[in-house]
Amino acid sequence: MDCPSCSTELERKMIREIEVDECPDCKGIWFEDDELRKAKDSTDSDLNWIDFEIWKHKDRAKARSKDLQCPDCRKALVAIDYSDTDVEIDYCPSCKGIWLDKGEFKSIIKALTDELLTKSFSDYVKASIEEAKEIVAGPEPFLSEWKDFVTVCRMMQYRLFIENPKLLEEAMIIQQTNPIK
Ligand SMILES: [Zn+2]
Ligand SMILES: [Zn+2]
């Protein structure tokens, strides 16, 4: 599989217990749907993450077309924006994979941090976000070092795409009408 952004061949890598495909050049990460679902059992002890309300508001998620190709099934990826944040996720409604580039990951951390400032969370959650911020701000961001990264991705996938069939339908239409080949 090749990187949707820079066409470099993606490398198989383990993050926690799941396999992802990472671009050695731009550090983007491709998550297959199956892999994210497999992560379920191993993250149940961290359920307090699910309390984040950030992804809950269905009308705030918007799908739009994007000029990137799914590394797996080669159809067009669809960008999902989440209003009032800089969060943008690239999603393939056909194979249900998620592409996150380095900038997108930073936006997710920022959105989580902003939410964290307005609410009271356990010390565990706060410590984890601090850890994520340090990794992102470091000279060589390496997402697999953040232990809760996979949990956040799973939560995002669940809220945005499984709980929100309308968004999924919208994304499917955008993918089908995007001329990318
Ligand atoms: Zn790349
Ligand atoms: Zn696909």
Side-chain angles (χ1 to χ4, degrees):
M1 269 195 289
D2 294 337
C3 173
S5 299
C6 64
S7 301
T8 306
E9 200 181 330
L10 299 176
E11 287 174 356
R12 278 308 234 185
K13 217 162 221 175
M14 294 298 283
I15 296 192
R16 309 295 282 166
E17 297 82 6
I18 75 161
E19 268 186 75
V20 299
D21 298 280
E22 188 186 59
C23 175
D25 285 341
C26 69
K27 302 289 176 197
I29 292 185
W30 174 250
F31 290 93
E32 278 169 19
D33 181 43
D34 281 357
E35 291 291 342
L36 268 183
R37 263 185 296 147
K38 251 190 254 166
K40 186 173 189 285
D41 297 337
S42 58
T43 51
D44 273 357
S45 59
D46 300 335
L47 269 182
N48 46 2
W49 273 106
I50 307 296
D51 291 338
F52 275 105
E53 288 180 1
I54 179 166
W55 318 108
K56 247 188 204 164
H57 309 282
K58 295 183 170 50
D59 49 339
R60 287 175 60 189
K62 296 265 182 300
R64 66 179 162 81
S65 67
K66 186 152 178 180
D67 201 19
L68 280 185
Q69 205 175 36
C70 172
D72 200 0
C73 69
R74 309 243 152 229
K75 291 177 183 164
L77 288 174
V78 178
I80 308 290
D81 298 304
Y82 205 72
S83 69
D84 302 336
T85 70
D86 296 322
V87 171
E88 182 197 306
I89 298 143
D90 301 313
Y91 182 65
C92 178
S94 293
C95 64
K96 305 202 174 2
I98 295 175
W99 172 254
L100 284 181
D101 67 34
K102 221 166 83 181
E104 289 163 354
F105 174 69
K106 278 185 186 173
S107 304
I108 289 169
I109 298 302
K110 189 178 176 301
L112 291 174
T113 310
D114 290 349
E115 176 162 322
L116 200 68
L117 290 174
T118 66
K119 297 206 176 82
S120 59
F121 280 106
S122 72
D123 289 345
Y124 168 78
V125 172
K126 284 177 186 159
S128 181
I129 285 287
E130 281 307 314
E131 185 188 313
K133 271 164 64 188
E134 279 167 28
I135 290 168
V136 169
E140 234 174 310
F142 191 49
L143 305 187
S144 54
E145 284 174 14
W146 182 31
K147 61 185 187 311
D148 289 312
F149 181 60
V150 170
T151 311
V152 167
C153 288
R154 273 194 54 233
M155 175 185 68
M156 197 170 69
Q157 183 199 40
Y158 181 73
R159 291 264 192 243
L160 287 180
F161 305 117
I162 297 171
E163 283 195 328
N164 195 348
K166 218 180 89 196
L167 177 69
L168 199 60
E169 210 175 286
E170 240 176 76
M172 191 68 92
I173 292 166
I174 289 171
Q175 182 177 61
Q176 282 162 1
T177 53
N178 192 320
I180 210 170
K181 283 263 156 57

